Amino acid sequence: MVPAIIQDSFTHKVLMLGYMNKEALEKTKSTGLVTFYSRSKKRLWTKGEESGNVLKLEEIRLDCDADTLLVHVRPSGPVCHTGTDTCWGETNDGIGFLNRLDAVIKTRKSEAESGSDQKSYVASLFEKGMNKIAQKVGEEAVETVIEAMDDQDDLFLNESADLLFHLMVLVRAKGFSLADVVSTLESRHEPSR
């Protein structure tokens, strides 16, 4: 039996810890739903078999000592039996994805600066310079406002995503990161002393 660390494949938030034996691992792989061995019930149990909040398997990785599993999942609801997103009472939000996207933008900026032959859309924006990047943010902001005045939610969400993406490129072009922006927001919400 080995510990299985359950991590959201989208947000990278650690959701829970369970234990798997060989049968639980095989059932997880064959069904695509995470199954554990319950030490208290002395049987296999598939997460969500009572609540319906299953964990859909994305990937299983073995650690360097081959004695712990890292299981990437897509949760279908709260993971903890108490009703919280994680067994530590944390909210499982999408900021993890934004951090990964920020890292990709940083890589594309380095590619543009190194003169790499492989040109992505982001690298081409960096090559065109600050004015072009700022112009794209302005264009996307206007398009987002226009869609906000309409009743087509899908178009509004797509324009919002474009705006956020291009704003992240602009932040990188100015030499900052998403973490710098988050830090600024956090400082505005610190309790007054």
Side-chain angles (χ1 to χ4, degrees), residues 19-83:
Y19 291 88
M20 290 185 176
N21 59 12
K22 184 178 179 183
E23 293 78 25
L25 182 59
E26 288 173 0
K27 186 172 181 186
T28 296
K29 289 178 178 179
S30 68
T31 65
L33 298 177
V34 177
T35 299
F36 300 99
Y37 179 78
S38 172
R39 296 172 299 160
S40 60
K41 297 175 184 174
K42 307 266 191 261
R43 68 172 178 86
L44 295 182
W45 66 278
T46 300
K47 181 69 175 152
E49 63 188 24
E50 292 177 18
S51 68
N53 296 329
V54 297
L55 299 171
K56 297 174 187 161
L57 178 65
E58 294 280 325
E59 173 187 34
I60 298 175
R61 300 172 83 183
L62 192 59
D63 79 336
C64 59
D65 294 324
D67 62 4
T68 304
L69 298 173
L70 177 62
V71 183
H72 288 150
V73 303
R74 284 296 191 136
S76 64
V79 171
C80 187
H81 70 280
T82 64

Side-chain angles (χ1 to χ4, degrees), residues 50-192:
E50 292 177 18
S51 68
N53 296 329
V54 297
L55 299 171
K56 297 174 187 161
L57 178 65
E58 294 280 325
E59 173 187 34
I60 298 175
R61 300 172 83 183
L62 192 59
D63 79 336
C64 59
D65 294 324
D67 62 4
T68 304
L69 298 173
L70 177 62
V71 183
H72 288 150
V73 303
R74 284 296 191 136
S76 64
V79 171
C80 187
H81 70 280
T82 64
T84 58
D85 289 350
T86 77
C87 288
W88 293 272
E90 299 172 312
T91 301
N92 185 21
D93 60 25
I95 193 70
F97 170 76
L98 292 178
N99 285 330
R100 291 194 312 278
L101 180 58
D102 191 42
V104 170
I105 291 169
K106 180 181 179 183
T107 300
R108 298 297 188 260
K109 183 176 187 236
S110 295
E111 289 172 2
E113 291 169 346
S114 71
S116 170
D117 290 338
Q118 213 173 20
K119 296 294 183 235
S120 67
Y121 170 71
V122 176
S124 71
L125 279 176
F126 282 118
E127 285 181 344
K128 291 175 184 172
M130 187 66 69
N131 287 344
K132 181 62 177 175
I133 296 169
Q135 178 187 347
K136 282 299 294 177
V137 172
E139 290 171 6
E140 298 302 341
V142 169
E143 291 171 6
T144 301
V145 169
I146 290 169
E147 292 305 333
M149 307 312 284
D150 203 350
D151 288 331
Q152 296 185 28
D153 293 344
D154 187 51
L155 293 176
F156 171 72
L157 290 173
N158 276 296
E159 292 302 340
S160 296
D162 289 347
L163 173 60
L164 181 57
F165 173 77
H166 286 92
L167 180 59
M168 290 173 68
V169 172
L170 180 61
V171 167
R172 273 286 167 197
K174 291 292 290 179
F176 297 103
S177 69
L178 180 61
D180 296 318
V181 175
V182 170
S183 178
T184 301
L185 285 170
E186 287 175 338
S187 72
R188 294 178 185 178
H189 293 280
E190 290 178 2
S192 57

